[in-house]
């Protein structure tokens, strides 16, 4: 079946879903396709910390109803090392906060809103292909869940299909420059049905390895342990995980409460940046273009910051003004590299590298002491953690009346 839309979007993660909504606010048609089912996308456990500017973006885009009711505003984090746990007070240092609101909830809100607004979303598709990227009429092809093959003529395509997607590999070889670092450790993460044992996230440096006590809701905790990249999750029964967490977070007069482990997984830790984020009429956004270690809580925020830049850029491009589209890659990459550096810095300050000697440990401890004792160093951490630059993509303009296409994909002319 042949159809037409203005923007074809590949991938229903936070980047693709938010982009389709921001485009709809501008009266721009899109078709969004996703290889997984809606249920899978809504249940996939990933990030959970929203920067100050990301919350502002979602509020301006009228997407913050549940976020404002259920999100937990956090005014800082704890850094724990060498027997002390010290608070970094974001509110006092920057006047800003972060909000704990799970990526699963962000995705649920976005899907519900797109469907309520009559957006064209197709889940469980197969055989996605993009072509004609260096022409003014790129084409998106896929097979829907009922087995019908579709060919969608687009004015532009947004590759929001994550690190393992098909859009970045569709760019001819020699166009992209990539930078990649695999760290010599991974995170074993659990989701536990137990009230958090802390009011704010605890980042713990420990000689046995890093640990993070994160939060998902007043009744659900998210906890992580640094493990080897080739670690077998079968070697980690729940009792061993709780014992190791208690060991790494141990402080006098503090107890880690335990609960039912509802989800358990191991995530590799990687930095990856690909440049440019545009090839012809294909624009990459989110994990399709860059990956950061989760230590800085930046992956989800970067994905949303990219599409905050991309929506007005596509609006301009579709109406004959190429300037924002020409600046898209450089605008995003400036923020991406800042987040890449911050995430690397947090990661290497807090994790124990295999074979690390005492000199390295002492350097990490010195850096941690400096961060908690120097107001300037603490402010730098707080500024980066809450989001730098503060606003992702600039202030959203009010929705303009639709120019050109209507709200749905149209039959091919
Ligand atoms: C296990 C894990 C844990 C994480 N934990 C954290 C964390 O604690 N903190 C943090 O900040 N970040 C974390 N991240 C990173 C964060 O979740 C991502 O940065 C964020 O999901 C990026 O959003 P995205 O929309 O760019 O990509 P994704 O969320 O990956 O969405 C891409 C979508 O494209 C779909 N897709 C792929 N190929 C195709 C295709 N061919 N056709 C159609 N659709 C396709 C995928 O199914 C997926 O739904 C984690 C990531 C992972 C994998």
């Amino acid at each position: 079946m042949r159809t037409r839309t203005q923007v074809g979007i590949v991938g229903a993660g936070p980047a693709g879903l938010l982009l389709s909504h921001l485009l709809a606010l501008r009266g721009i048609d899109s078709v969004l396709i996703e290889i997984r089912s809606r249920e899978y996308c809504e249940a996939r456990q990933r990030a959970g910390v929203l920067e100050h500017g990301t919350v502002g973006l979602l509020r301006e885009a009228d997407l913050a109803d549940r976020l404002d009711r259920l999100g937990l505003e956090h005014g800082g984090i704890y850094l724990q090392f060498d027997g002390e746990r010290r608070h970094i007070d974001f509110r006092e240092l920057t006047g800003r906060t972060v909000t704990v609101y799970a990526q699963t909830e962000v995705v649920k809100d976005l899907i519900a809103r797109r469907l309520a607004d009559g957006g064209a979303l197709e889940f469980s598709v197969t055989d996605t292909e993009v072509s004609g990227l260096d022409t003014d009429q790129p084409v998106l092809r896929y097979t829907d869940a009922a087995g019908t093959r579709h060919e969608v003529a687009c004015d532009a395509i947004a590759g929001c299909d994550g690190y393992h997607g098909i859009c970045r590999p569709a760019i001819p070889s020699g166009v992209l420059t990539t930078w990649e670092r695999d760290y010599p450790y991974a995170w074993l993460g659990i989701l536990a049905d137990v009230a958090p044992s802390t009011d704010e996230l605890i980042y713990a440096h420990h000689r046995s390895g890093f640990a993070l006590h994160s939060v998902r809701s007043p009744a659900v905790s998210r906890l992580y342990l640094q493990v080897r990249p080739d670690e077998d999750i079968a070697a980690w029964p729940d009792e061993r995980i709780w014992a190791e967490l208690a060991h790494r977070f141990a402080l006098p007069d503090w107890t880690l409460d335990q609960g039912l482990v509802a989800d358990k997984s191991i995530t590799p830790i990687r930095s990856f940046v690909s440049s440019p984020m545009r090839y012809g009429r294909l624009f990459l956004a989110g994990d399709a273009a860059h990956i950061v270690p989760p230590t800085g809580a930046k992956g989800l925020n970067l994905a949303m910051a990219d599409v905050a830049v991309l929506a007005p850029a596509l609006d301009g491009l579709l109406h004959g003004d190429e300037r924002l589209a020409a600046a898209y890659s450089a605008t995003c990459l400036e923020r991406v590299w800042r987040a890449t550096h911050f995430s690397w810095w947090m990661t290497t300050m807090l994790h124990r590298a295999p074979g690390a000697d005492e000199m390295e440990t002492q350097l990490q401890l010195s850096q941690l002491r400096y961060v908690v004792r120097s107001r300037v160093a603490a402010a730098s951490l707080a500024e980066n953690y809450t989001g730098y630059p503060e606003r992702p993509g600039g202030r959203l303009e009010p929705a303009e009346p639709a120019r050109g296409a209507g709200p749905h994909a149209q039959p091919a002319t």
Side-chain angles (χ1 to χ4, degrees):
M1 190 201 288
R2 296 174 124 198
T3 51
R4 209 202 106 58
T5 190
Q6 289 179 291
V7 181
I9 304 176
V10 187
L17 288 163
L18 180 60
L19 179 64
S20 68
H21 175 73
L22 296 179
L23 291 175
L25 289 181
R26 293 171 172 271
I28 296 172
D29 250 4
S30 67
V31 169
L32 191 161
I33 58 157
E34 164 62 50
I35 44 172
R36 302 287 193 169
S37 67
R38 176 179 177 181
E39 296 68 34
Y40 183 94
C41 292
E42 291 184 343
R44 188 167 36 198
Q45 291 301 327
R46 287 190 171 177
V49 176
L50 302 184
E51 290 175 358
H52 196 79
T54 304
V55 173
L57 173 68
L58 293 171
R59 283 191 183 134
E60 280 179 35
D62 192 21
L63 289 165
D65 196 35
R66 283 179 75 239
L67 165 64
D68 281 334
R69 276 187 289 120
L70 304 176
L72 305 172
E73 190 177 14
H74 281 203
I77 57 169
Y78 294 103
L79 289 177
Q80 180 173 331
F81 56 95
D82 213 14
E84 57 179 307
R85 182 178 295 170
R86 296 283 293 267
H87 191 237
I88 305 285
D89 191 333
F90 298 162
R91 233 185 235 109
E92 196 255 325
L93 290 162
T94 65
R96 287 153 41 184
T97 57
V98 292
T99 298
V100 171
Y101 189 63
Q103 183 167 329
T104 46
E105 305 311 303
V106 173
V107 166
K108 279 182 207 162
D109 293 348
L110 285 163
I111 292 175
R113 181 60 184 272
R114 289 307 294 133
L115 293 176
D117 288 350
L121 257 72
E122 290 255 22
F123 290 97
S124 305
V125 308
T126 52
D127 301 321
T128 317
E129 287 173 43
V130 292
S131 62
L133 303 175
D134 53 355
T135 72
D136 287 350
Q137 200 79 143
V139 177
L140 175 62
R141 292 187 186 80
Y142 65 95
T143 303
D144 69 21
T148 305
R149 187 78 182 149
H150 292 257
E151 182 173 310
V152 189
C154 310
D155 295 324
I157 292 178
C160 304
D161 50 349
Y163 181 72
H164 299 289
I166 51 109
C167 288
R168 194 180 66 253
I171 297 174
S173 63
V175 172
L176 297 179
T177 304
T178 59
W179 296 265
E180 188 157 15
R181 175 158 305 181
D182 286 316
Y183 296 81
Y185 26 78
W187 279 17
L188 189 164
I190 61 165
L191 193 67
D193 291 334
V194 59
S197 304
T198 178
D199 55 342
E200 293 186 330
L201 273 61
I202 307 168
Y203 286 78
H205 174 280
H206 195 279
R207 285 171 188 270
S208 302
F210 170 70
L212 171 61
H213 189 329
S214 187
V215 170
R216 283 295 178 268
S217 76
V220 179
S221 301
R222 183 90 166 128
L223 297 123
Y224 299 94
L225 285 170
Q226 176 189 341
V227 294
R228 291 196 326 265
D230 60 350
E231 192 71 59
D232 179 6
I233 201 155
W236 286 87
D238 297 354
E239 312 74 59
R240 182 180 175 201
I241 294 174
W242 286 116
E244 190 60 27
L245 285 165
H247 171 60
R248 295 190 196 179
F249 287 122
L251 274 188
D253 304 324
W254 184 86
T255 317
L256 177 67
D257 291 330
Q258 302 185 10
L260 189 77
V261 175
D263 188 86
K264 197 190 306 189
S265 61
I266 291 185
T267 308
I269 306 292
R270 174 186 297 134
S271 297
F272 172 80
V273 181
S274 160
S275 171
M277 289 169 61
R278 174 190 182 183
Y279 171 70
R281 290 278 176 127
L282 172 68
F283 295 80
L284 300 177
D287 279 15
H290 41 75
I291 301 277
V292 286
T295 328
K298 289 282 162 260
L300 170 61
N301 293 290
L302 280 182
M304 294 182 132
D306 285 351
V307 298
V309 178
L310 185 52
L314 289 172
D315 196 355
L317 182 72
L318 268 45
H319 298 97
D321 182 349
E322 292 249 1
R323 284 174 301 172
L324 290 179
Y328 170 69
S329 183
T331 305
C332 291
L333 283 169
E334 188 172 329
R335 183 183 201 92
V336 167
W337 274 115
R338 176 86 300 278
T340 302
H341 178 272
F342 177 66
S343 305
W344 164 86
W345 178 76
M346 286 283 283
T347 302
T348 51
M349 176 170 71
L350 288 161
H351 289 70
R352 184 168 181 84
D357 60 11
E358 190 54 26
M359 170 96 183
E360 191 161 327
T361 304
Q362 290 303 329
L363 289 171
Q364 287 179 318
L365 292 173
S366 169
Q367 179 67 31
L368 283 159
R369 275 185 219 108
Y370 177 56
V371 169
V372 301
R373 289 178 192 154
S374 154
R375 184 182 169 83
V376 174
S380 172
L381 187 154
E383 181 175 57
N384 280 278
Y385 198 99
T386 56
Y388 182 85
E390 183 176 353
R391 287 212 51 83
R395 189 158 290 277
L396 284 178
E397 292 152 28
E400 291 173 17
R403 284 171 286 174
H408 302 292
Q410 305 134 19
T413 48

